[in-house]
Amino acid sequence: MSKLLLSKASLHKETHKLSVYRQYLPSLDLKRQQLIIERNRIVAEMAETERAIAVCERFVIENLPMLSNRNLDLSGLVKIAKVTIGEENIVGIQLPVITDVVLLIRPYSNYTYPHWVDHLVKELAAILRLKVALTVQRQRMEIMEKAVKRLTQKVNLFDKVLIPKASQNIRKIRIFLSDTERAGVVRAKITKQNRLLREL
């Protein structure tokens, strides 16, 4: 780290830096607050998605006890064929967003499968869509957590390091310049007195 120069130019430079830091800090802090609000919204979305998955699973358990019948081949009845992910800009942060989920339902005959398989297919499709949504929400949450952490570090750097350091440097320079000016005035007075004494 370079040594602080105790000069008027250095004072001007430090004053300018302090002004820039103080101007930049509120916008940084506002962005951090917006990210925290967005993160909390994602947390609420995740909780809602998890609740919806639990509701679907409970419906299957309570209303389709026939699933315990091992004679029916229900494997691969509903599969995810394709998930299309786009991007969404939230307060300058790029977050993944689901644009499309394509499910593949294995063809089955209503004559060879019981009627309740239709309800099962509907619930399985809903659960798969919700699980895809939850996966993407978790990715969004991870990105948002990193962004909030990074921004909090920047805010702390400005608030707790850069601004106090610049203020301290300005104070040091002002004290030095004031002392130098005072010493100059004292020297001038002493020189004047010495000249007057010599003239007598």
Side-chain angles (χ1 to χ4, degrees):
M1 193 168 166
S2 60
K3 191 173 184 283
L4 179 68
L5 297 174
L6 302 172
S7 65
K8 286 188 178 181
S10 186
L11 177 64
H12 177 71
K13 183 179 168 188
E14 289 295 322
T15 306
H16 177 70
K17 278 178 13 184
L18 181 62
S19 169
V20 169
Y21 296 157
R22 284 188 172 150
Q23 186 178 359
Y24 193 52
L25 179 61
S27 63
L28 259 183
D29 196 36
L30 179 63
K31 184 176 179 180
R32 183 179 65 89
Q33 289 170 11
Q34 290 171 328
L35 287 179
I36 289 170
I37 290 167
E38 190 59 33
R39 182 189 64 190
N40 293 343
R41 195 178 65 75
I42 293 171
V43 168
E45 282 177 3
M46 285 172 62
E48 180 58 31
T49 304
E50 287 169 347
R51 190 194 63 74
I53 290 170
V55 166
C56 287
E57 288 173 345
R58 194 165 43 252
F59 176 83
V60 170
I61 291 167
E62 290 173 0
N63 296 305
L64 300 173
M66 306 72 91
L67 281 174
S68 58
N69 182 356
R70 300 283 178 212
N71 296 331
L72 281 174
D73 178 24
L74 300 173
S75 60
L77 203 55
V78 183
K79 290 182 184 175
I80 298 171
K82 183 177 153 193
V83 177
T84 309
I85 305 284
E87 279 194 344
E88 175 184 31
N89 186 325
I90 303 285
V91 198
I93 307 297
Q94 296 295 88
L95 296 175
V97 64
I98 298 169
T99 54
D100 191 29
V101 177
V102 178
L103 297 178
L104 191 64
I105 298 171
R106 188 185 78 201
Y108 62 91
S109 168
N110 287 332
Y111 298 112
T112 54
Y113 282 87
H115 67 83
W116 54 263
V117 172
D118 292 338
H119 294 297
L120 177 65
V121 166
K122 183 180 166 195
E123 293 302 316
L124 286 175
I127 289 171
L128 282 175
R129 285 182 191 279
L130 288 167
K131 285 190 174 179
V132 168
L134 186 60
T135 301
V136 172
Q137 286 165 355
R138 285 184 177 140
Q139 290 171 358
R140 289 167 66 91
M141 184 65 177
E142 192 177 313
I143 292 167
M144 196 57 77
E145 283 288 352
K146 286 179 184 170
V148 168
K149 183 179 178 185
R150 200 166 44 247
L151 217 48
T152 301
Q153 287 171 341
K154 276 187 183 178
V155 167
N156 287 340
L157 175 68
F158 276 81
D159 193 36
K160 305 223 174 6
V161 178
L162 296 177
I163 289 175
K165 182 71 175 164
S167 297
Q168 183 183 10
N169 287 345
I170 289 168
R171 195 171 59 75
K172 278 182 188 175
I173 294 168
R174 282 188 176 149
I175 289 170
F176 176 79
L177 292 176
S178 174
D179 287 351
T180 304
E181 189 179 317
R182 199 175 302 114
V185 169
V186 168
R187 269 195 307 276
K189 283 183 179 180
I190 291 171
T191 305
K192 187 177 178 183
Q193 283 178 348
N194 288 340
R195 201 177 326 125
L196 286 173
L197 286 174
R198 270 180 276 167
E199 287 175 3
L200 293 175

